[in-house]
Amino acid sequence: MAVAPPSCCLVAFPPRAKDGLVVFGKNSARPRDEVQEVVYFPAADHEPQSKVQCTYISIDQVPRSHAIVISRPAWLWGAEMGANEHGVCIANEAINARELAAETEALLGMDLVRLGLERGSTAKEALDIIVALLEEHGQGGNYYEDADSCHSFQSAYLIVDRDEAWVLETVGRYWAAEKTTEGVKCICNQLSITTKIDAEHRELRSYAQSQGWWMGEDEFNFSEVFSPADEHLDCCAGKDSLEKQEESITVQTMIDILRDKASGVCIDSESFLTTASIVSVLPQNRSLPCIHYFTGTPDPSRSIFKPFIFVGDIKLVPKAQSPCFGDNDPAKKEPRFQEKPDRRHELYKAHEWARAVISNDQEQGRQLRKTMLELEKQGLAAMEELLTSSEPLDPTEVGDLFYDCVDTEIKFFK
């Protein structure tokens, strides 16, 4: 059984979160050398009976897809995490379960993240879309760009909007979901839903009985029934970190938690690295914009969180996007992954220099990190001012917000 990368997804609701804000975050732990890109896709209308090509399979397209911004491993179609124009945020986790994940190519959990964002205008609608596609097409295939071995996993999701969050956990085509509207919630790379189940696959319990995993006499506990027999179920590091916060949770609190290597939330191990991170703030006051902060670079403790806001005219950011190899991409040709092209984008390359300086030169690295944090602090302060201003948002002022932040960061590193 492949080892699931130890990512972490978190959300905090008022009053634990400050000022009527829902705060969402994720660290994406992936193979150390994998590049993630940040990509914006505008809303689009599609022809009747058209198809959409996901990472491995094509499925029916919908008449209209929402505008989305996603952080994704550059070789695949889906997303590790992202948001849409309606204030829905989704992130997923690779998990192991009692039933081995299928190696047969189907939808990846990351494809379902993107499909949920493109098609769902609320967290519940995104949940319904994801489970319908899961039941129809199944999940399976290699989670890594690796020709030597197939690393396949089951999937868990944190699906959030301004009002509520849904934890969705899946095993094959079977699933269970739990709704949250208060406090804090965290998912890591193990099943977490126990006896509070607010929605489930209609045959979930009968399937568990047919496998001999549940006799039908005790209360049904999803994680106990479907977790590997040898897995020790414990609280994830992210949940511990959130629950320890004595003050109201802010964007800065969430960023600090994602940067914490000592707790195990920020991964930097021999096999895995936090290759990208996101923090989103979703005001429950619908007159205020949602703000999504992306790193687009590895190791949040050495990265700058940069803001993005949905407006009608978004300036694209090619410097945070990887080169496109089209149909010649080794991820699209069978047998897959026979080569590994250089997928580094301009932001990633510039950031490599910064990571090297911070690692190798104590004094210069300390000064560099201090300046990076000051740059980030300026952006956070400007966004906080925007959320507390009585003036309406001027779309012309924020359409190139993420572009300008990426451009400034690259120039700073150079």
Side-chain angles (χ1 to χ4, degrees):
M1 186 183 291
V3 176
S7 296
C8 188
C9 309
L10 315 102
V11 68
F13 284 89
R16 291 293 288 112
K18 190 179 178 186
D19 298 336
L21 306 176
V22 178
V23 185
F24 166 87
K26 178 183 176 180
N27 271 351
S28 173
R30 299 284 299 171
R32 291 192 64 88
D33 61 348
E34 187 175 79
V35 177
Q36 283 204 35
E37 59 180 353
V38 179
V39 193
Y40 167 76
F41 294 96
D45 295 312
H46 305 285
E47 292 295 321
Q49 282 81 53
S50 61
K51 298 281 187 180
V52 55
Q53 177 62 50
C54 302
T55 302
Y56 297 130
I57 66 169
S58 65
I59 65 171
D60 291 338
Q61 184 56 283
V62 290
R64 183 170 176 81
S65 52
H66 305 313
I68 63 169
V69 60
I70 55 175
S71 183
R72 67 176 180 184
W75 63 270
L76 54 76
W77 180 85
E80 271 283 287
M81 51 211 177
N84 72 19
E85 61 184 308
H86 299 290
V88 178
C89 297
I90 309 179
N92 89 317
E93 298 279 344
I95 54 173
N96 289 315
R98 202 164 197 161
E99 183 170 285
L100 292 177
E103 295 187 1
T104 306
E105 291 184 350
L107 290 173
L108 286 177
M110 291 168 282
D111 292 338
L112 287 163
V113 170
R114 178 170 172 181
L115 290 164
L117 290 171
E118 287 188 338
R119 301 179 180 194
S121 58
T122 66
K124 180 59 167 61
E125 189 176 16
L127 167 77
D128 292 340
I129 286 160
I130 289 171
V131 297
L133 291 168
L134 177 71
E135 291 181 23
E136 182 178 357
H137 301 285
Q139 59 181 321
N142 206 339
Y143 262 59
Y144 302 156
E145 191 180 15
D146 184 354
D148 297 326
S149 181
C150 183
H151 310 264
S152 58
F153 301 99
Q154 312 289 7
S155 297
Y157 306 82
L158 186 59
I159 309 169
V160 180
D161 63 21
R162 296 176 192 253
D163 300 312
E164 62 188 26
W166 285 86
V167 173
L168 168 64
E169 296 181 343
T170 67
V171 178
R173 294 176 194 245
Y174 298 91
W175 57 273
E178 179 185 352
K179 178 180 172 181
T180 299
T181 57
E182 60 185 15
V184 298
K185 201 74 183 174
C186 175
I187 62 168
C188 299
N189 58 325
Q190 60 184 18
L191 296 173
S192 65
I193 295 174
T194 56
T195 57
K196 183 183 180 295
I197 300 174
D198 296 303
E200 64 187 83
H201 187 287
R202 61 197 172 280
E203 296 172 6
L204 177 69
R205 300 182 193 218
S206 60
Y207 179 71
Q209 283 184 287
S210 73
Q211 300 298 306
W213 299 336
W214 181 59
M215 297 300 109
E217 296 166 358
D218 300 328
E219 186 176 20
F220 185 78
N221 182 313
F222 179 76
S223 60
E224 282 187 6
V225 170
F226 282 95
S227 292
D230 58 350
E231 182 166 275
H232 172 62
L233 296 173
D234 56 8
C235 190
C236 72
K239 188 165 186 283
D240 282 346
S241 298
L242 272 180
E243 289 180 342
K244 283 176 186 170
Q245 299 300 320
E246 293 180 1
E247 311 225 343
S248 294
I249 293 162
T250 64
V251 172
Q252 187 65 62
T253 312
M254 190 66 80
I255 289 173
D256 292 343
I257 288 171
L258 295 183
R259 284 181 167 146
D260 187 2
K261 290 185 177 178
S263 70
V265 174
C266 181
I267 299 299
D268 189 352
S269 68
E270 189 176 330
S271 303
F272 299 115
L273 179 67
T274 297
T275 54
S277 304
I278 182 178
V279 170
S280 293
V281 55
L282 315 175
Q284 293 188 315
N285 178 349
R286 280 170 164 70
S287 68
L288 297 174
C290 298
I291 304 173
H292 312 283
Y293 300 87
F294 292 89
T295 59
T297 53
D299 190 347
S301 71
R302 298 172 179 182
S303 291
I304 298 173
F305 284 81
K306 298 166 282 290
F308 175 99
I309 297 175
F310 283 96
V311 289
D313 188 17
I314 295 286
K315 189 171 184 178
L316 300 179
V317 189
K319 292 177 182 177
Q321 292 178 226
S322 296
C324 179
F325 301 98
D327 292 337
N328 291 320
D329 194 314
K332 294 180 179 176
K333 296 192 292 187
E334 296 189 51
R336 300 193 195 277
F337 313 128
Q338 298 305 297
E339 300 171 60
K340 217 168 184 180
D342 184 357
R343 300 188 187 275
R344 294 175 302 162
H345 44 74
E346 194 173 337
L347 174 63
Y348 188 99
K349 289 178 181 178
H351 184 259
E352 277 184 315
W353 169 83
R355 284 170 61 204
V357 170
I358 292 170
S359 296
N360 301 326
D361 187 320
Q362 191 171 2
E363 180 53 32
Q364 188 185 1
R366 190 180 65 80
Q367 288 297 330
L368 175 62
R369 188 168 183 276
K370 181 182 177 184
T371 310
M372 288 169 69
L373 291 175
E374 285 172 358
L375 267 178
E376 179 184 273
K377 192 174 180 181
Q378 291 171 18
L380 290 171
M383 293 302 100
E384 188 165 338
E385 188 176 326
L386 189 152
L387 288 177
T388 54
S389 172
S390 57
E391 298 293 318
L393 177 71
D394 182 353
T396 61
E397 291 185 359
V398 296
D400 53 1
L401 178 63
F402 189 70
Y403 178 97
D404 288 345
C405 290
V406 169
D407 200 49
T408 300
E409 184 174 341
I410 291 172
K411 286 175 181 173
F412 165 69
F413 290 146
K414 287 182 176 178

